Amino acid sequence: MPTPPVPSAADEVVEIARDLIRIDTSNFGDDSGPGERKAAEYVAGLLDEVGISSRLHEPATGRTSLVAHWGEDAPDGRPALLIHGHLDVVPAEASDWQVDPFSGEIRDDYVWGRGAVDMKDFDAMVLSVVRARQRAGRPPSRRVVLAFTADEEAGGHLGAQKLVEDLPEEFDGVTEGIGEVGGFSTTIRGRRLYLIEAAEKGMAWMRLTARGTAGHGSMINRDNAVARLAAAVARIGAHEWPVQLTPTIQTLLAAVAELVGTEATPENAASLIEEFGPAARMIGATLSHVTNPTMLGAGYKVNVIPTEATAHVDGRFLPGYEDEFFAELARLCGEGVEVDFVSNQPPWETPYEGQVVDAMTRSLLAEDPGAAVAPYLMSAGTDAKHFTKLGIKTFGFAPLRLPEDLDFTGLFHGIDERVPTDGLEFGARVMDRFLDQA
């Protein structure tokens, strides 16, 4: 009998993505979810099949991350490269979806399910390429550390943070890394533009507390905790943060301006961002700080003025402007409102230059020659915040060629999350090229 052909990355990437989606790793922000253990064991099995051993790390029951080493040190002395992706997903309410969110169903040439774009698609790309290259005896151009993490959707405190704190030796010699969210295409005036994450806003999840004098709701009370807190929340929610352009955003706006035939200025920054269509919701949030009140809590009875009132605010602040952000936030809170942090993670910005940037650009353009490539600043947070603590310069590079009419950024944490099957295959081809050049 003839020997069956060895599967390529493109042959496997869709099925691996479907398998990962079928493993429910919903992260509710506490320990009530199923955890990531089954997904980590699945990844370990795929790597073990091609002779790559891995290490599981479980700081809390079921909250499992995986680390593996692949390839040898580069002959030219280049340091190791980190490739990281997370295994957890945000919850999904099945009744809201057209399909079972954990089915991995293929419909209309898309893989549907929670995690299809955030970020089991990238996990599948990496695993399919690693397996194909390992079978073919094609190691990467330098040593690669693979990390598949838990808990990213709740800040990474039980995932990437624990890897960095507990197992820093696993990342010895690593100076650069890639992960989510970048390498996907947008379309501006008929031309695809691939966005590579080169910076990330800081994340300040804050608990605001106001205290006052308890009393009867029928009486005058000049020391009302609810009123004090409500005023602070209203000021924060209504505040218009000024436009401030970081180096990454300046580079992005210059690229967009070239595509539309104009010059980028601070005055036309917002109009240039509008060229991204639906993606402007995400990219537009990188022109300034953002603060959104998200939760309120106070009292236990309508006619009782409580002693304490609390609110939660999601704050995202620009790299290079941290001190001014927190100073202005304190002014907005005013007297008598305390601020504690549920999570406080710094921003980062990596210079958009060097061999990794060249490799990402060349690998994308080799598969899509008429496109353009530019960096962008991510409005939300990723595990990169933790890996930067080890001095690792990171980029978001999960390559996807997308249809112009797909509201891709709206699918992150959204209903009917899905990814094109040919986009997955494109990403696998790009990743394969990248590993030859990085």
Side-chain angles (χ1 to χ4, degrees), residues 100-352:
D100 179 345
F102 299 103
S103 67
E105 180 177 330
I106 294 179
R107 180 188 290 192
D108 301 326
D109 298 320
Y110 282 78
V111 177
W112 294 58
R114 178 59 86 217
V117 302
D118 187 14
M119 62 170 298
K120 291 178 175 179
D121 57 340
F122 179 65
D123 296 337
M125 288 179 213
V126 173
L127 288 165
S128 65
V129 171
V130 169
R131 283 165 57 84
R133 292 178 70 103
Q134 185 76 353
R135 289 191 188 102
R138 296 174 56 225
S141 61
R142 55 169 151 167
R143 181 167 59 89
V144 170
V145 178
L146 302 169
F148 295 88
T149 61
D151 199 40
E152 190 275 343
E153 296 293 1
H157 304 296
L158 293 174
Q161 179 176 324
K162 281 297 184 181
L163 288 180
V164 166
E165 292 174 351
D166 299 347
L167 304 176
E169 68 278 3
E170 295 286 353
F171 306 96
D172 285 348
V174 177
T175 61
E176 297 169 304
I178 62 167
E180 62 171 353
V181 176
F184 60 91
S185 71
T186 61
T187 303
I188 295 179
R189 303 202 180 184
R191 187 175 176 189
R192 276 189 292 273
L193 172 65
Y194 290 89
L195 301 178
I196 293 174
E197 182 189 357
E200 200 168 281
K201 288 177 112 176
M203 183 176 76
W205 289 347
M206 296 167 284
R207 181 189 301 106
L208 277 54
T209 304
R211 294 181 177 85
T213 302
H216 199 289
S218 67
M219 300 181 186
I220 294 172
N221 187 317
R222 306 297 186 193
D223 188 30
N224 188 313
V226 175
R228 184 175 298 116
L229 181 79
V233 169
R235 287 191 296 269
I236 292 169
H239 186 64
E240 294 287 340
W241 294 95
V243 170
Q244 293 170 304
L245 305 181
T246 70
T248 297
I249 287 298
Q250 290 175 24
T251 303
L252 172 63
L253 292 177
V256 176
E258 183 177 349
L259 291 176
V260 302
T262 187
E263 292 186 5
T265 67
E267 291 72 30
N268 70 0
S271 63
L272 289 174
I273 292 296
E274 289 303 314
E275 295 285 345
F276 287 100
R281 290 194 305 270
M282 179 180 76
I283 300 171
T286 66
L287 299 182
S288 66
H289 306 304
V290 171
T291 44
N292 279 309
T294 55
M295 297 169 64
L296 290 169
Y300 57 90
K301 197 171 186 291
V302 68
N303 64 342
V304 177
I305 300 169
T307 302
E308 182 177 290
T310 62
H312 285 75
V313 174
D314 187 340
R316 308 294 174 127
F317 51 99
L318 296 167
Y321 298 94
E322 297 94 317
D323 291 344
E324 100 172 5
F325 170 79
F326 286 108
E328 182 66 2
L329 185 71
R331 186 190 71 79
L332 293 170
C333 285
E335 295 293 328
V337 176
E338 299 175 5
V339 178
D340 298 305
F341 293 101
V342 177
S343 183
N344 184 10
Q345 299 185 35
W348 58 268
E349 190 160 24
T350 300
Y352 190 65

Side-chain angles (χ1 to χ4, degrees), residues 9-85:
D11 293 331
E12 285 197 329
V13 64
V14 170
E15 288 308 311
I16 292 175
R18 298 181 72 197
D19 286 347
L20 284 168
I21 289 168
R22 292 183 186 118
I23 303 172
D24 183 357
T25 52
S26 298
N27 187 345
F28 293 89
D30 53 27
D31 289 328
S32 63
E36 299 85 1
R37 179 85 193 188
K38 288 183 179 179
E41 290 175 342
Y42 171 78
V43 172
L46 291 181
L47 294 175
D48 185 64
E49 281 182 6
V50 293
I52 300 173
S53 60
S54 57
R55 177 178 184 178
L56 300 184
H57 185 56
E58 191 171 282
T61 302
R63 310 312 304 275
T64 314
S65 299
L66 176 148
V67 182
H69 294 257
W70 177 43
E72 304 293 336
D73 290 330
D76 60 6
R78 275 176 300 142
L81 175 74
L82 170 67
I83 301 179
H84 65 95

Side-chain angles (χ1 to χ4, degrees), residues 117 121 181 184-185 278 400 402 406-412 418-420:
V117 302
D121 57 340
V181 176
F184 60 91
S185 71
L400 283 171
L402 299 168
L406 179 67
D407 181 9
F408 179 66
T409 59
L411 295 175
F412 283 81
R418 60 198 182 276
V419 64

